[in-house]
Every structure is written in structure tokens, then in C-alpha cells.
Amino acid sequence: MGQAYAAAIESLRPTVTTEPGEAGRLTVERAVGLLAGRARCRLAEAHRHLLQMGAEQGRDLIEVAGGVIRLLDGPDPGPAPVAGLSTVVPAGPVRQFAPWIATVQRVLDVAPGMASFFTVERDPAGRLADLVWAAVSPEAVAPGGLRGAQLLGRRISQQFPDVVASDRWPVYEQVLETGRPAVLGPFRHGDGLYTVRAHRLGVGLLLNWTRHDESPVGDRLAGTERLGNLGWGEWDLISDDVYWSDQLYRIYERDPRLGPLSQAESEALALPEDEPLRAAARVAFERGERVDVTLRVRVGERIKYLRTVADASRDAEGRPLRIFGIVQDVTERETSARRLAEVERELDEQRRDLAAEHELAGKLQRIILPIPDGPIELPGLKVALRYLPAGEESLVGGDWYHAAELRDGSVLLAVGDVAGHGTRAAKTMAQLRHALRALAVTTSDPAELLRHLNALTCDLERETPELAATAVVARFDPKGREIVWAQAGHPPPLLSRGGHTAPLDRPSGPMLGVIDDARYETARFDLRVGDLLLLYTDGLVEHRDRGLDDGLATVMRTVDQAVRASPRQPLGELLARLQQANPADDTCILAARPVSGETQDLRRYLSGV
């Protein structure tokens, strides 16, 4: 049986896959693991809750899972205080959650008998020093009375000090080293006769105990009580005798030698806030109804949720003669539900905050960066623009453009990208774009303009750490048809000439905001009739599922195809083809070509711009 458990658990271990259809499934699985870990609930319960959240909010499951990951993918701050629950830290090592360990726990939760999965502690020489409970079946029990989940995080040397010195310990070490399972026993331990099976599972040890000397009927009854974490009791009102099952003593953590709780002791454990529920249950019982109620009691330093189902045998007038009932400890279920509700509340707050920030950043971006419906007519140039927002709605970036005639009759073209997303990126984008427009009054030299923008970004970075941006600035002289350009850590412009597209060789220039007093070089080339110049931000060529070189090659093929398909009006054809959003980043595209006598109005080609 132990080998079957080990095989079942091993089959549930996460495996790395590169199949394209697996990304969404892995996102959901990661979210389920994080949610179960934060709420301390089973994986199945976390998965059901994730499905329920998606259905109630009308959102795709993967989108909901992404929100869970963004909220919970970080150090667990520990259990948040829950009304009515004790915040006393348990003695012993704190169990750290890991999604795979939760999967092991999920299997052991439904495993009959006593089974435990241990992580390994070794001494400086590398020998097995101790085993720590990481997952455990409900029926596992230690001599001190700790049972099931109460053992998690505890060392086997504390609960079974004799096992470290026994002949079983070297066998456990051998199983860990070789991976070959072992069967030990039968052997006598305490008042029982046991066999233990040991299997290596990952880097840990899975142990399964079988007791041979319990009666089948009593074993099944005790196993049922432990599996359901419930006990039963009777109260003979004629003789005033009260009987509790062993599991009921365990639920109340009471020494059986003290006998069942008296009515006064039982009432002293109850929480005053639950008095209305208790009163309603008493009224229902007096009417002759069966009672099914969940109440809170204080057991030691902890608050437990106990579900009680009680009924009575009555005389001819309906007076109770014997009361019998079942008490089930549902603390884990109730606290998990409350933690799930708390996580959902945090997700709702985060989603509202993100939605508000996204709306504000979007409005700011639209005000600062209006995209014209058609091409822009500039001296000697016709310029077309397209802005592609990120595929993920929550990402509003800092991509920007500039295309305007200068006072000397030349044309200034620019495209830039501020690192990050949200209102901060949008605000920085506005500052850089407006600064460029203002600086162009004093100089039209692209290198000098970038030097000033770098100084501004460095100043902003002192107020907002880790701020960085890239940009490319070009000046077009319509008389000589010459372009002088400079760049600051930006992807190279693409030049299409004679049916072939290639990136321009970049002059040197670091990113904006990285180096004080940075210097930028310029490059120049002639822009001939029939050429097409493409400035863009990195969202056009960078994608999650492909490398930068592949992305650049794809764009260059698209430019070649657009020019071949419409050699006289390539701008509209090009922008019609470059309209697929990058799911992870915004994209700004500026395409320009020299004006000739044969240039036609492109508005009908840019109706989708």
C-alpha cells in the first residue's frame, strides 16, 4: 500500500513542459498552489474557489489566476488575524508551504491508515540527523497524543525519540541514499505490533505504518472517527450518565481520566458571541427537532469550530430520555473559508486599485499622446502613426512619439519608451515629450536634444529611483533630403530601399537616466524617393514567445511585403499589417516616406489607424 501511495504522489509532482498549450494550465496551477498555501486549504478547495471567482466576476479563469499570482507571489506574511481566532504561535518549527508539498498532503488526506511524508535534516557530515513532518494522514498519531495536522513541522526525534537509536534509522538513511524502498517489521512499539514501509519521494521520505493487532470492527470505527475528525457521545437523563468516545476526548483535548465535560465546563468553553445560535438550537431541540449547529469553543489557547448534530429518544409526551449526538471538528474548513474570503477581498481591492490606475493612466496618455486619424503632411515627408496598447488591459505604458515641423523648415521625428507601466510611466512620458518639443526651439541637433533629455531623466530618477527610458530622434532636411539621427539605447530604425529592409547602424548613445553627462553621437543618410523609414518602440519586436532577432526579422519581412503589395502608397499597407498587439507591452510605430509629385492622399488607406 505504501508503494502505491508513493507512486500516486510521484505522479502528481509538477513537471516542466514547453508545449505551447501548457502556459495557461501552468498559470492556473500556480495560482491554485499559491491560493491554497495562503488560505491553508486543500488544492481542490482552492481550485473550486478560483472557478467560482471567475464565474461571479465574468472573467476568464487564466485572467483571475494571473490576478491571484500578482497578489500572492511573494513571501507569506503569515496568517492574518481572523476575528475569534487565536493568534498564538504554535511551539516548534513553522511549516513552510510549498505547492508540491500541498499536493502530497492532498493525497495523504484521503489515505487510510497512518502515513507521513518527512523532509530531511542532516548533520555536518551529511548523515541523517532528523526527519520533520511535512505532510501527514489524518490517522497518524504520536505517543504524546498529537494527531494528523498537529504533527506538521515537528521532528520525529521529539515524538519518537527511540527511533533515532533503533535499527530502523540506518534503513531510512539507506532508502534516502539508494531510492530502494524497504519494509521493516513486524516489530513491537508500545502496546502495538507494527510494520513500516519506507519510500524515497523526491528528496524526502514517505513512511506508512500498519498496525496488526487491532480488532477489525474497532479499527474501522476508530478509523472512521479519525478520518472524519468526529466523535460521539450519549447522555442518559434518567441516570445522568454521560459517555464520550475516544475521539471526542481528542477533539476537546481532554484527559479521558477526567471524564466528560460537565454542563458548566462545557458552557465555560463557549464564546459569548455565539449565544444567539445556542439559544436557537435549544429552542429547536425543545420542539423535538434534530439539532445541527456549528459553534465556536475555546480549547486551551485555540478557538475551534465544532459542528454538533444531536437528537434524543423521548417519552410519549416528547420529553427527552436519552440525548445522543456527534461532534465534528470543522475548524480547518471554517478557517479555510474565511481565509479564502479574505484573499478574495484583497484581490477585489487590488483589482479596483489597478482599474482606477489604468483608467487614470489611459486618460493621461490619450490627452498627452493623441494619435491622428490619418497621415501627417510635413515638409517633404508624409508620416503615418499607429499606437498599439498592450494585450493585457492593466498595462498602460510610457511609449510616445513626436513629429513636427521646426522653425527652420526641417522636420523633427522622435519615438521613445519609458520603462514600466501605469501612471508613473505615463507622467514621465509626458515630461519627456513636452521637454523635447520645448528644447527643439533652442536646437535641432538630435544628439544635443538627447543630451538634454538625459539630464532631465537623471533629475527625475533622483525623485523616482530605477527610472530609465530610451529614445531615437531624427531631423529631416527637406531641401537636401538628408536625415541626421541619434539614439539613446533604443532599437535601430528600419530603412526599406529597393524592396529590401534592414536596420540602420546605430551611433553610440546610452539609455536616458543611466549616466550623468552622457554623450550621444549622430549618423546621417539620404532619404530617397521610394524609401520608407520606420521608427518604433521595442514592443513591436519583443515578444514572450520569440527572441529579439526573430521579432526583428518578422517585422522586416512585413515591411518588404507591404512595399511589394503597394509600392506607391506603402504606409497604409504597412500599418494595416502591423496591428497585432504585444500582450506584455505597448507599441508605438512611426512610418515616414519622402513626398514626390506622385504622392497620393493616404487617408483612405489609413481608415483603420
Side-chain angles (χ1 to χ4, degrees):
M1 184 66 74
Q3 188 171 3
Y5 295 154
I9 297 172
E10 193 71 40
S11 68
L12 291 173
R13 292 186 67 188
T15 56
V16 178
T17 177
T18 57
E19 295 179 14
E22 293 293 283
R25 181 181 65 80
L26 292 176
T27 298
V28 173
E29 286 186 356
R30 184 181 178 198
V32 168
L34 289 169
L35 187 59
R38 184 62 59 89
R40 275 77 171 179
C41 67
R42 297 179 180 179
L43 291 175
E45 187 176 355
H47 188 264
R48 285 195 299 270
H49 197 77
L50 201 67
L51 291 171
Q52 181 180 352
M53 290 168 60
E56 291 176 351
Q57 299 166 11
R59 301 166 67 207
D60 182 79
L61 181 61
I62 296 177
E63 183 184 357
V64 175
V68 171
I69 291 171
R70 285 191 294 273
L71 175 66
L72 301 183
D73 192 8
D76 188 346
V82 179
L85 295 181
S86 170
T87 57
V88 175
V89 178
V94 178
R95 180 191 179 207
Q96 296 296 322
F97 170 76
W100 184 73
I101 297 296
T103 304
V104 178
Q105 182 63 64
R106 181 183 177 189
V107 175
L108 295 187
D109 282 338
V110 296
M114 297 182 290
S116 299
F117 175 71
F118 297 91
T119 55
V120 177
E121 289 187 353
R122 297 187 180 274
D123 61 20
R127 294 185 297 269
L128 178 62
D130 215 332
L131 296 171
V132 180
W133 267 278
V136 63
S137 68
E139 295 184 36
V141 62
L146 295 177
R147 182 179 300 274
Q150 295 175 329
L151 292 167
L152 295 175
R154 300 181 185 272
R155 291 176 170 81
I156 200 169
S157 61
Q158 298 171 338
Q159 306 303 317
F160 296 90
D162 57 327
V163 73
V164 180
S166 72
D167 56 0
R168 300 193 299 276
W169 197 251
V171 178
Y172 295 160
E173 188 166 17
Q174 186 178 15
V175 171
L176 288 168
E177 290 176 356
T178 65
R180 291 193 296 270
V183 180
L184 299 93
F187 58 88
R188 180 68 60 178
H189 180 79
D191 60 352
L193 186 66
Y194 295 88
T195 293
V196 61
R197 291 170 173 82
H199 301 264
R200 188 177 71 185
L201 183 61
V203 295
L205 186 68
L206 178 68
L207 299 181
N208 173 253
W209 292 270
T210 301
R211 183 166 182 173
H212 300 288
D213 54 349
E214 290 185 331
S215 66
V217 175
D219 185 35
R220 282 195 293 268
L221 180 59
T224 300
E225 286 190 334
R226 289 193 294 268
L227 187 61
N229 202 9
L230 55 86
W232 61 277
E234 291 186 4
W235 181 14
D236 189 329
L237 299 179
I238 304 301
S239 64
D240 202 30
D241 291 334
V242 179
Y243 176 80
W244 276 15
S245 71
D246 291 342
Q247 187 65 17
L248 197 54
Y249 283 103
R250 296 189 187 100
I251 289 174
Y252 278 95
E253 300 177 14
R254 183 173 175 85
D255 188 341
R257 293 174 296 183
L258 299 176
L261 290 170
S262 66
Q263 186 172 355
E265 289 174 318
S266 179
E267 291 177 353
L269 298 179
L271 267 64
E273 297 88 343
D274 289 349
E275 177 57 33
L277 287 175
R278 291 196 297 274
R282 285 194 295 268
V283 171
F285 185 79
E286 291 170 359
R287 290 199 301 262
E289 300 176 8
R290 186 180 68 175
V291 173
D292 187 341
V293 62
T294 299
L295 299 169
R296 293 174 295 172
V297 297
R298 186 179 298 279
V299 179
E301 297 294 335
R302 296 188 299 145
I303 300 297
K304 287 190 174 184
Y305 289 79
L306 303 183
R307 178 191 179 194
T308 301
V309 181
D311 207 341
S313 57
R314 303 174 185 269
D315 60 17
E317 297 180 0
R319 290 173 298 192
L321 301 175
R322 180 185 293 269
I323 299 174
F324 50 88
I326 296 173
V327 177
Q328 183 179 25
D329 187 348
V330 293
T331 304
E332 182 180 355
R333 184 191 70 190
E334 294 293 326
T335 54
S336 293
R338 281 160 174 76
R339 291 190 183 106
L340 285 171
E342 177 64 20
V343 170
E344 186 172 357
R345 184 190 64 77
E346 293 178 13
L347 287 170
D348 286 339
E349 290 181 358
Q350 183 194 56
R351 188 165 53 252
R352 287 194 295 268
D353 292 343
L354 287 175
E357 181 180 359
H358 173 70
E359 182 180 2
L360 175 61
K363 289 180 179 178
L364 181 62
Q365 193 175 54
R366 288 189 292 273
I367 292 172
I368 298 168
L369 196 70
I371 302 298
D373 294 331
I376 303 174
E377 300 281 355
L378 295 170
L381 282 182
K382 190 163 280 192
V383 177
L385 297 154
R386 184 181 294 280
Y387 190 90
L388 302 177
E392 297 180 10
E393 293 183 358
S394 61
L395 301 179
V396 176
D399 295 30
W400 57 275
Y401 77 91
H402 182 76
E405 179 182 0
L406 300 178
R407 291 190 297 176
D408 61 3
S410 61
V411 175
L412 189 66
L413 305 175
V415 165
D417 185 2
V418 177
H421 299 90
T423 53
R424 190 184 78 167
K427 287 168 57 179
T428 306
M429 173 267 288
Q431 290 171 306
L432 293 179
R433 187 170 187 260
H434 291 320
L436 178 66
R437 184 172 183 176
L439 290 168
V441 176
T442 63
T443 179
S444 61
D445 179 11
E448 189 68 11
L449 290 171
L450 285 178
R451 190 176 68 82
H452 289 305
L453 291 181
N454 178 68
L456 171 62
T457 309
C458 288
D459 287 342
L460 294 174
E461 197 273 341
R462 294 184 181 94
E463 303 172 2
T464 309
E466 299 183 5
L467 175 65
T470 67
V472 58
V473 179
R475 186 191 69 212
F476 174 67
D477 178 9
K479 295 180 181 179
R481 295 190 180 278
E482 182 185 57
I483 283 187
V484 179
W485 69 286
Q487 64 83 34
H490 200 83
L494 300 180
L495 179 64
S496 175
R497 174 173 293 170
H500 176 70
T501 303
L504 298 174
D505 293 331
R506 296 193 306 174
S508 64
M511 292 178 62
L512 303 176
V514 176
I515 302 174
D516 287 320
D517 300 324
R519 292 292 181 265
Y520 297 88
E521 295 182 358
T522 59
R524 61 185 66 225
F525 63 93
D526 294 332
L527 190 64
R528 306 169 188 170
V529 174
D531 289 352
L532 187 148
L533 179 67
L534 187 69
L535 309 182
Y536 55 93
T537 55
D538 56 9
L540 185 64
V541 294
E542 291 184 353
H543 288 262
R544 295 170 177 170
D545 55 352
R546 68 187 186 196
L548 180 60
D549 291 341
D550 292 337
L552 187 60
T554 299
V555 173
M556 289 191 295
R557 284 196 302 271
T558 302
V559 175
D560 290 343
Q561 293 165 1
V563 172
R564 284 196 299 268
S566 182
R568 291 185 176 273
Q569 290 91 20
L571 296 185
E573 182 70 24
L574 174 62
L575 295 190
R577 293 170 182 259
L578 297 176
Q579 58 183 353
Q580 184 175 1
N582 184 331
D585 201 0
D586 288 8
T587 302
C588 186
I589 304 169
L590 185 154
R593 71 184 185 95
V595 174
S596 69
E598 300 177 355
T599 301
Q600 299 178 7
D601 192 325
L602 301 180
R603 283 180 176 80
R604 63 191 180 94
Y605 294 97
L606 299 173
S607 58
V609 177

